[in-house]
Amino acid sequence: MRISIFGLGYVGVVGMACLSRLGHQVVGIDTNEAKVELINSGLSPVIEEDVDVLIADGRRAGNISGTPDVRAAASNTDLSFICVGTPSLNNGHLDHSAVLRVARDLGEAIRHKNTFHVVAVRSTVMPGTNKELTALIADASGKEPHVDFSVVSNPEFLREGSAVHDYFHPPYSLIGSENPRATDVMKQIYRDVEGPVIVTDIGVSELLKYVCNSYHALKVAFANEVGTICKTLNIDSHKLMEVFCLDTKLNISPYYLKPGFAYGGSCLPKDLKALCGIAHDFYLKCPVLESIDTSNEFQKKKVLDQIIEFGKQKIGFLGMSFKAGTDDLRYSPIIDVIEKLLGKGFDVRVYDKNVNLSKLIGSNREFITQRIPLISRFMTGSVEEVLAHSEILVIVNKEDEFNGKLSSLNGDTIIYDLVNIAPRNSSKNGGYHGLAW
């Protein structure tokens, strides 16, 4: 395929080298003539393992060239990658000026082109940029989006020092696209690259890199704080974290990484407080660990505030234990919310079949009757009773028995879903609200 790459920095040059190795004809465009000259001399403008070899090989094979001529490059290629820099501004946002300038230049360059052109954004940009670039290109070219051209989001996840390996062996190649024709073009680009090609919403594709890198930063900070505690206790932190990472069922896995309500139960709150207590005993500062409970409490407050903002008095809760399929009420986060609502005079009903049974014969009987006697008086024996009572229905647990009941509600009942159980019902009920979706 004939490909143009705008920006001969780190991302652009690595992409040029790897696409050339895959057999594509690639032309690089940059306003810096020195970079263009290096490419045309078979040399790499960046220092990165294996890139210099791939650039030299590609140049000898006639698959690589450089030019400052935007119009010639875009007119003679089918796909353009935008790889220019987006440096940070003082307010934390990114400087998109170079990306916008390239989009405008691209639009002018394809004005007289008669074939479909795909623009793939590799630069790290803020969500909503794809829409902005599409409008810019349409205005500059006079062409119709998704008919004459299409802008897709194609973020890179390359690590410096292993970028070539990462390019050919990614966990996945991500394409954010609204156009099947453009999607097919991008799939062709990555058909010889290891890992699946994932096609997703443009918004997901634009935001994902920020989430990935923030999580990586969180992992570094978490591991460093664990190391601080281990050193003080004369424990080998590297051995500990090696064992920690062997658990791919929970520790390194999708578990606990689903947006939703606050955590609870007998283990997480207790053990987190204990670890923070150990750090405190030795006068150690561990701000990441210490902030976890603060964030969890904020999530409870967020739910309480939203329920109040709905402006209704009759509120029903389906589920009260900290997790579906259990009667365990220890540190159940919804208890704090219900108690505050009762204290403010709201008319509350609660249903949880497991807790109802536990109230009669289970180990939680004493907890229910002595620790939360106020809430226990508002518990009901059936889902139907809660549904009939409620102006707001709060879904706390993912119980199978709740699914069929929700679809029978009329549009007057507000559904506040804390566990993502009922998005399929949202089209039937205009009052559906997801906690984080």
Side-chain angles (χ1 to χ4, degrees), residues 77 104 139-140 159 173 200 272 288 306 312 320 338 376 408 417:
T77 55
R104 195 174 295 107
D139 181 65
R159 297 169 298 169
S173 297
T200 187
L272 173 64
V288 170
Q306 178 61 80
K312 306 292 184 180
M320 189 167 70
I338 295 173
S376 67
S408 65
D417 184 1

Side-chain angles (χ1 to χ4, degrees), residues 121 125-135 151-153 176 202 206:
V121 182
V125 296
M126 299 296 285
T129 302
N130 185 291
K131 184 177 180 180
E132 187 176 5
L133 298 184
T134 298
V151 181
V152 303
S153 175
I202 289 173
E206 288 182 320

Side-chain angles (χ1 to χ4, degrees), residues 31-52:
T31 56
N32 187 325
E33 293 185 7
K35 292 183 178 181
V36 172
E37 289 175 4
L38 284 171
I39 291 295
N40 287 329
S41 299
L43 301 173
S44 174
V46 302
I47 303 299
E48 175 67 28
E49 186 175 359
D50 295 331
V51 168
D52 55 345

